[in-house]
Amino acid sequence: MKPSKFFCSGMAIIFLIFSLIGLSSCAHKQDDEKQWSVGLSYTISEDGKHYIVDGLGDCVDPNVYIPPIYNGLPVTELSGFNYIDTRFRLYLPNSITKINDGSFYESSGLVALNFGNSVKNIGFETCNFGSVPSIYYEGTLEEWCEIDIENVHFGSNIHIQNELVTELIIPKTISTVKRGTFYSFTNVTKIIIPTNVLNIEEYAFSNCLSVEEFYFEDITSIWQFNLYQQTINFTAKELNNGVAYKYLIGGSGPKNTGYPCSKLS
């Protein structure tokens, strides 16, 4: 008995559906898997337990994706991407916890840097005078405040969770704004310090040259902060009663010098 036309048509349709499902799942898998860059330079750590990615090596990708694993071991540190003129964008995996000293020093070719909340330490002069045009941090502002940062000139176009940072409201969970946390955040125009902040370390807001408003929830707390060497002039305003104070902060002069200004309207 010959199969009916309807049976053949039905089988063809079923076959087509399964074929499309198979193609769709393959395409989805390819989309999900990053194409990790090859040809990068690596150095194994002294204890032999992880790798340090230390340069482009032979990689010529315009978008450089550092793999989280190399030769069966995690890639946990980055160094040596300095003095590079070739234009590229760099994506760090969540395995990297440390960006070492001078990693992007004088790297005019690096147009953007993407990294997440796995990074806990950013070393001395990682990028000098905003040498990285755009930085995209995938963690939260709270997580950024927890990073140990050593004298890094971040420059303009700092993005946290894909938003350009122009206003800093220090999270309620942060009691100390660490040394250099917002060094050279040059797009920031407004900063708010809540009462939970008990300490502001030196250089925390250095070179934030666009700051126009610096608010304290409690103006009396300003005297306990280490505000010298912030190298910005700002108007500190108390949120409660509208009294404004002008503070000239910077250099090697007295730590907390200032004078009261007129009340705000």
Side-chain angles (χ1 to χ4, degrees):
M1 179 178 177
K2 287 185 178 181
S4 68
K5 290 182 180 180
F6 292 108
F7 177 80
C8 292
S9 300
M11 291 299 293
I13 291 170
I14 292 170
F15 178 78
L16 178 60
I17 290 171
F18 275 96
S19 298
L20 290 173
I21 291 172
L23 288 171
S24 174
S25 67
C26 288
H28 181 67
K29 185 177 181 181
Q30 289 173 353
D31 288 342
D32 282 349
E33 292 178 354
K34 287 190 177 71
Q35 298 299 309
W36 305 115
S37 296
V38 297
L40 297 166
S41 174
Y42 298 89
T43 300
I44 197 165
S45 62
E46 291 184 1
D47 61 9
K49 294 182 178 179
H50 65 271
Y51 275 96
I52 304 160
V53 57
D54 57 7
L56 283 178
D58 298 324
C59 181
V60 294
D61 296 345
N63 294 308
V64 177
Y65 289 90
I66 297 173
I69 302 290
Y70 180 73
N71 281 349
L73 294 175
V75 179
T76 63
E77 296 181 42
L78 179 143
S79 349
F81 284 78
N82 41 24
Y83 301 104
I84 298 174
D85 297 329
T86 305
R87 289 175 63 83
F88 70 104
R89 181 169 186 159
L90 188 61
Y91 296 82
L92 307 191
N94 286 330
S95 60
I96 287 186
T97 60
K98 184 177 182 182
I99 300 174
N100 289 314
D101 296 353
S103 290
F104 309 115
Y105 191 85
E106 298 289 351
S107 238
S108 59
L110 180 56
V111 297
L113 172 67
N114 291 61
F115 63 98
N117 59 5
S118 63
V119 172
K120 305 301 181 187
N121 183 277
I122 301 177
F124 181 76
E125 289 192 346
T126 296
C127 46
N128 61 313
F129 302 104
S131 60
V132 181
S134 295
I135 292 176
Y136 294 84
Y137 179 66
E138 296 163 11
T140 64
L141 179 60
E142 180 180 3
E143 289 168 327
W144 179 274
C145 288
E146 297 293 345
I147 302 173
D148 292 325
I149 299 170
E150 291 292 333
N151 193 24
V152 179
H153 294 263
F154 288 107
S156 59
N157 299 323
I158 311 296
H159 301 78
I160 294 181
Q161 294 186 328
N162 286 324
E163 289 190 15
L164 180 67
V165 179
T166 59
E167 180 176 299
L168 289 172
I169 303 174
I170 305 304
K172 296 289 186 182
T173 55
I174 300 299
S175 60
T176 295
V177 183
K178 294 182 180 181
R179 172 187 170 96
T181 296
F182 302 108
Y183 200 132
S184 292
F185 271 46
T186 53
N187 276 330
V188 170
T189 59
K190 182 178 180 180
I191 300 170
I192 297 179
I193 307 294
T195 54
N196 52 277
V197 175
L198 304 177
N199 186 28
I200 298 176
E201 295 182 350
E202 61 182 358
Y203 304 112
F205 300 106
S206 284
N207 238 33
C208 292
L209 301 178
S210 300
V211 172
E212 298 172 354
E213 299 174 283
F214 203 120
Y215 290 94
F216 288 80
E217 286 187 347
D218 179 7
I219 201 69
T220 58
S221 66
I222 193 171
W223 303 111
Q224 73 192 36
F225 297 140
N226 185 17
L227 287 176
Y228 80 114
Q229 293 185 342
Q230 298 299 340
T231 64
I232 59 172
N233 298 332
F234 59 83
T235 300
K237 303 173 183 177
E238 186 176 28
L239 298 184
N240 294 333
N241 59 22
V243 177
Y245 289 82
K246 178 76 172 181
Y247 290 90
L248 304 177
I249 309 298
S252 57
K255 288 189 177 182
N256 294 312
T257 58
Y259 54 90
C261 300
S262 59
K263 287 187 177 181
L264 303 175
S265 56

